[in-house]
Amino acid sequence: LRALAKAVRAGQRFIGNYFQLKNDIADIVTSAEEPWLPIGTSQSAFYGNFNGDGKTVSGTFHLSDKDGTKLGFFGYARAPISNLTVEGAITYRGTIASVSSLVIAVGGIVGETSASRITNCTHKGSMTAENAVFTDRLRMGGIVGRSTASVSGCTQSDGMLSANIPQ
């Protein structure tokens, strides 16, 4: 998955390519120092078709806006994503001090998506935004942070959404 994220960031769009998980992926461990690298950014979106095939990716997922402003298992996707479960706590740690028009989108499956379909996906776990300086520009959701796409048959469970705003 890291190789896929790096390839998308390097400019590979994967238009017409189909990805399917064959097995569960367990015990992914990230930290504030070594955060999860989302698949796709606002500058280089993921365009492939991703089918989780009912499999689960589990672990702890730390996200940093140093890796972009669209954050989740997928960062920014313009592609179908289906049948995927992401299980584990997701923590976004804000580092941006001042950008007036910036919108940060954080989701359990995908940070931001457009022109796509998100179907039968689940996020199990809590979601937390720490040091969320721009709360008026923070979009956070259990499945999708920000979307103009079709989202159906998806669930968020076993946790809550919370934000820690610095004073």
Side-chain angles (χ1 to χ4, degrees), residues 16-116:
N17 290 313
Y18 187 85
F19 297 85
Q20 183 174 359
L21 286 181
K22 295 294 184 187
N23 299 298
D24 291 334
I25 299 172
D27 302 322
I28 291 176
V29 178
T30 65
S31 66
E33 295 76 31
E34 291 189 39
W36 173 256
L37 190 63
I39 301 167
T41 69
S42 54
Q43 293 78 27
S44 186
F46 175 73
Y47 282 86
N49 182 322
F50 192 93
N51 182 351
D53 198 31
K55 305 297 187 269
T56 298
V57 178
S58 63
T60 58
F61 300 90
H62 289 81
L63 304 170
S64 171
D65 50 34
K66 291 178 183 176
D67 292 316
T69 58
K70 314 308 180 205
L71 303 165
F73 183 80
F74 287 88
Y76 186 58
R78 295 182 60 108
I81 300 169
S82 62
N83 306 312
L84 174 67
T85 296
V86 174
E87 186 172 335
I90 294 176
T91 303
Y92 157 67
R93 174 95 176 125
T95 63
I96 297 174
S98 63
V99 177
S100 61
S101 62
L102 187 64
V103 172
I104 296 177
V106 181
I109 301 297
V110 60
E112 185 168 337
T113 185
S114 61
S116 64

Side-chain angles (χ1 to χ4, degrees), residues 111-123:
E112 185 168 337
T113 185
S114 61
S116 64
R117 295 177 321 277
I118 311 299
T119 55
N120 302 321
C121 291
T122 299
H123 172 245

